[in-house]
Amino acid sequence: MVSTLPLIVERLVKRYDGRPVLDGLSFVIHRGECFGLLGPNGAGKTTTLRCLLGHAVPDAGRIEVLGLCVPDEARKARARIGVVPQFDNLDPDFTVAENLLVYGRYFGLSDAEISRRIPALLEFAGLSARAHASTRTLSGGMKRRLTLARALVNDPELLILDEPTTGLDPQARRLIWDNLARLTREGKTILLTTHFMDEAERLCQRLAIIDAGRIIAEGAPAELIERHAPRRENGCPGNLEEVFLALTGHALRD
Amino acid sequence: MELTWGMLAVWRRNCFVWRKLALPSLLGNLADPLIYLFGLGYGLGAYLPPIAGVPYFAFLATGTVAAATMNAASFEALYSAFARMQVQRTWEGILNAPVSLADIVAGECLWAATKASISGVAILIVIALLGYAQSPWAVLAVPAIFLVGLAFGALGLIATARAPSYDFFMYYFTLFITPMTLVCGVFFPAERLPAAVQAVAAWLPLYHAVALVRPLIFGQWPAEAVWHVIYLVAVTVAAFAVAYRLARRRLLG
Ligand SMILES: Nc1ncnc2c1ncn2[C@@H]1O[C@H](COP(=O)(O)OP(=O)(O)OP(=O)(O)O)[C@@H](O)[C@H]1O
Ligand SMILES: [Mg+2]
């Protein structure tokens, strides 16, 4: 029977040159949840996402996305997923609106259908006034917002966001947070990676901290804080950053 | 390998970009071959006897159609496709949609052939305006030009899938494209070459491109036409398969 969980990852193993980058990773995400994947540089976050999209073939393990087996049915799954990649890949040759139009075509949507969706997407990204501006003229924050809007062009059930707010100023980050909160309220499921503990604490109902391709802690942010960074003697509450450092150590990774 | 309508979306994306800059791009693509054609055709042509019954200018012009198609397809499949694959990460973006890598490579190949055909046909029109392509059968050169574009698009994509940087493409041009242009009958009949060189030339794709396109423009049915077509189709299919495999290794580890 096909499960109702939008994402199931079981004992995922991925090796590069014999070295395990993912080493038996397992987690599930519930419908309508925002799930965070945290971990130091090189922990395997992007590799995990690449496996979920069918871009990297795992050496072992099972992946089920929206009831579809990946990588076998990855193309079908991607039709129902929206992706914000770690590195921007907006089309510099196009305007803001054209980026949405061209991207929608990759999903087999008609121009008429995409054009119907564009105003709401621009509005969502706060870019209505910039519809006809060249993508080259956008600030980093605007580009990220446009990338997020582009990920919604196919009205996906699941969003996969790889460090959606890296490189943004606090204002721009907050705007993306509001957007993501709105999307979960609308019933979308979100899988997100981040290096910002405040972001994870604020957005994610549950999260997993991974290190060297293995999950070392998993649960609701408050739960993890309670477990790994309990309230200090002076009454100050612990925070997620302390949890992260307590679990992954202070040494540099990459 | 899965090919779907996604490849047309990729083709359309590239066409959309091209349409924004169509005129300067076309002029840029035509300037080089036309300068050579008029410079050599008239300058050198004045000293040369007709070749196989046609004036040297017409001989060179018809060879130039094939060579310009080859060059345009190669430039598109090398520099432009590399920019989209590596520099702009456009392919990565497309792969996150339900489009396969095979669709992307095929869409790029189709587009390189399309853009090359625009150049090739533009020169064909110049030739016709000068009165060297009088038979209505010369339109048969158009599908032949497209096939030449496909073959060189696919070959170029092999280099692109392997290229560490743009510098790599210089080797492709100086070691493959330029020598091929000299021995495949563009500037003079390949039969003038030493037998050993001729034997090699007969296995180069531009040789078949010229052997197919030149007579068609003159309204003649090419000798061994079927063999040239089979050869170019085979090169296209084989090169596409290799380019796809290499791109897969590079992008989908
Ligand atoms: N194609 C590849 N070939 C070889 N090694 C790779 C490849 N892709 C990733 N790796 C290695 O796998 C490990 C995990 O990389 P990954 O990009 O998944 O980390 P990450 O958690 O996303 O890190 P970051 O926070 O820096 O983005 C790294 O050590 C990286 O060098
Ligand atoms: Mg990463």
Side-chain angles (χ1 to χ4, degrees):
Chain A
M1 206 199 84
V2 174
S3 93
T4 54
L5 291 169
L7 184 73
I8 303 171
V9 174
E10 270 176 13
R11 294 184 298 278
L12 201 59
V13 177
K14 174 72 190 170
R15 291 187 201 90
Y16 281 119
D17 312 316
R19 190 175 64 94
V21 168
L22 302 181
D23 198 4
L25 207 66
S26 302
F27 62 95
V28 300
I29 303 185
H30 304 284
R31 203 163 286 281
E33 178 176 59
C34 179
F35 186 90
L37 212 50
L38 278 56
N41 291 134
K45 301 180 295 296
T46 300
T47 305
T48 305
L49 304 188
R50 281 168 48 78
C51 288
L52 301 185
L53 292 164
H55 296 155
V57 179
D59 294 291
R62 190 176 79 90
I63 302 172
E64 195 184 300
V65 183
L66 301 169
L68 298 161
C69 283
V70 171
D72 293 349
E73 299 174 288
R75 225 167 54 76
K76 254 185 172 166
R78 292 202 300 271
R80 296 159 59 194
I81 300 177
V83 180
V84 170
Q86 182 168 359
F87 302 102
D88 268 321
N89 55 30
L90 291 167
D91 230 314
D93 297 303
F94 295 135
T95 66
V96 168
E98 285 167 352
N99 257 284
L100 298 173
L101 174 67
V102 170
Y103 208 71
R105 287 174 180 167
Y106 299 137
F107 289 85
L109 299 171
S110 71
D111 285 12
E113 177 57 36
I114 305 166
S115 302
R116 242 195 317 280
R117 294 181 187 190
I118 284 179
L121 292 170
L122 289 175
E123 150 91 60
F124 175 82
L127 290 170
S128 301
R130 295 284 205 137
H132 304 294
S134 159
T135 312
R136 289 178 212 268
T137 66
L138 301 184
S139 72
M142 290 174 173
K143 281 190 182 149
R144 230 41 198 151
R145 267 142 56 201
L146 177 57
T147 304
L148 181 56
R150 190 185 68 169
L152 296 170
V153 74
N154 57 324
D155 192 19
E157 293 157 63
L158 172 67
L159 279 160
I160 293 186
L161 316 174
D162 201 355
E163 302 192 22
T165 63
T166 295
L168 301 189
D169 67 25
Q171 288 84 349
R173 281 174 62 204
R174 261 152 222 277
L175 225 116
I176 298 249
W177 290 352
D178 292 345
N179 281 344
L180 295 183
R182 188 169 137 193
L183 290 169
T184 39
R185 275 198 306 277
E186 286 168 10
K188 307 242 185 253
T189 306
I190 297 180
L191 168 55
L192 132 140
T193 80
T194 181
H195 288 297
F196 298 111
M197 298 303 136
D198 53 341
E199 178 167 304
E201 212 170 322
R202 200 176 161 123
L203 288 176
C204 301
Q205 280 85 54
R206 284 189 318 125
L207 51 87
I209 298 177
I210 66 173
D211 196 7
R214 252 179 282 200
I215 292 191
I216 51 174
E218 187 183 346
E223 239 172 78
L224 291 176
I225 293 168
E226 191 57 43
R227 210 179 318 147
H228 300 282
R231 196 169 282 273
R232 287 177 220 128
E233 313 241 323
N234 61 12
C236 278
N239 62 34
L240 204 54
E241 182 132 346
E242 287 167 30
V243 175
F244 188 85
L245 289 172
L247 290 171
T248 60
H250 287 262
L252 215 55
R253 294 317 170 89
D254 261 1
Chain B
M1 193 187 319
E2 265 183 292
L3 283 174
T4 65
W5 47 262
M7 94 178 127
L8 297 179
V10 173
W11 180 90
R12 254 180 114 185
R13 180 232 164 255
N14 293 347
C15 190
F16 194 9
V17 176
W18 179 79
R19 272 177 21 213
K20 296 184 163 217
L21 298 162
L23 202 63
S25 153
L26 185 61
L27 293 178
N29 264 321
L30 287 184
D32 198 54
L34 287 180
I35 288 167
Y36 268 93
L37 174 57
F38 283 94
L40 290 179
Y42 282 122
L44 205 56
Y47 294 94
L48 296 173
I51 297 176
V54 297
Y56 182 68
F57 186 91
F59 179 87
L60 179 63
T62 46
T64 300
V65 170
T69 304
M70 166 184 81
N71 279 323
S74 303
F75 263 100
E76 189 63 24
L78 296 172
Y79 292 92
S80 310
F82 187 78
R84 294 187 281 267
M85 176 186 75
Q86 184 80 7
V87 187
Q88 297 173 193
R89 298 173 178 272
T90 311
W91 290 16
E92 251 176 61
I94 301 172
L95 281 172
N96 287 330
V99 175
S100 69
L101 184 60
D103 290 330
I104 296 179
V105 177
E108 289 284 358
C109 187
L110 273 180
W111 169 246
T114 307
K115 197 172 166 194
S117 299
I118 296 169
S119 295
V121 170
I123 296 173
L124 177 59
I125 291 170
V126 171
I127 294 173
L129 291 175
L130 293 171
Y132 293 116
Q134 291 175 336
S135 161
W137 292 108
V139 297
L140 286 180
V142 176
I145 288 169
F146 187 73
L147 178 57
V148 173
L150 280 179
F152 282 101
L155 284 168
L157 285 165
I158 294 180
T160 299
R162 274 314 282 270
S165 71
Y166 286 115
D167 300 330
F168 185 75
F169 299 142
M170 196 187 64
Y171 298 110
Y172 187 81
F173 277 95
T174 52
L175 298 178
F176 182 53
I177 298 288
T178 306
M180 190 157 46
T181 311
L182 290 172
V183 301
C184 288
V186 174
F187 297 106
F188 52 86
E191 292 71 41
R192 286 298 172 85
L193 293 163
V197 180
Q198 253 187 72
V200 175
W203 284 98
L204 296 173
L206 183 61
Y207 177 89
H208 298 272
V210 172
L212 203 55
V213 169
R214 179 174 282 140
L216 285 173
I217 296 177
F218 292 139
Q220 300 153 359
W221 189 243
E224 301 178 319
V226 175
W227 160 234
H228 299 310
V229 170
I230 290 174
Y231 176 93
L232 290 171
V233 169
V235 165
T236 303
V237 172
F240 173 78
V242 173
Y244 168 68
R245 267 167 187 268
L246 293 174
R248 222 187 131 77
R249 194 180 302 163
R250 180 180 190 133
L251 298 169
L252 304 179

